[in-house]
Amino acid sequence: DPRTGWPAQGLRALTVVHPDAAFADAAGGALYVAGPAHWPALAQRMGVRQVLALDDEGGLTATAELASRLQLSPQVGALTTV
C-alpha cells in the first residue's frame, strides 16, 4: 500500500476482466490496494465493470456484470454482487 508502505490489507485476491490486459493489470492493483470497502466505488469511477474479489474472511464479491457470467460450485458459498 503506497499510503503506508506496508502490504495492502483486506483482500486475498482480486481479478479484473477487461479486453486490454495491461489496463486489467493496472486496475487490479489499484482496486486491490483500495481494499474491500472501497474497490467497488473505485471500479465504477474507473469504468471497470467486471471484477471478482476474495476478502480475508473468504467472502466473494463480484460486480453485477461479472456475476452474471459465473457459476459457482456449492462448496464456494455465497456471492455478493455490487
Side-chain angles (χ1 to χ4, degrees), residues 39-79:
W39 77 255
L42 181 57
Q44 186 173 25
R45 286 195 310 270
M46 294 173 69
V48 178
R49 299 187 334 235
Q50 297 188 69
V51 181
L52 177 65
L54 175 64
D55 66 32
D56 283 344
E57 287 81 43
L60 280 174
T61 305
T63 56
E65 188 169 324
L66 186 56
S68 69
R69 298 177 57 194
L70 299 176
Q71 183 176 14
L72 302 178
S73 70
Q75 295 90 343
V76 172
L79 175 68

Side-chain angles (χ1 to χ4, degrees), residues 1-3 8-18 22-55 61-63 66 82:
D1 185 338
R3 297 168 295 192
Q9 301 291 313
L11 293 174
R12 290 185 192 170
L14 185 133
T15 299
V16 172
V17 178
H18 193 275
F23 178 83
D25 185 50
L31 297 177
Y32 187 89
V33 170
H38 303 290
W39 77 255
L42 181 57
Q44 186 173 25
R45 286 195 310 270
M46 294 173 69
V48 178
R49 299 187 334 235
Q50 297 188 69
V51 181
L52 177 65
L54 175 64
D55 66 32
T61 305
T63 56
L66 186 56
V82 293

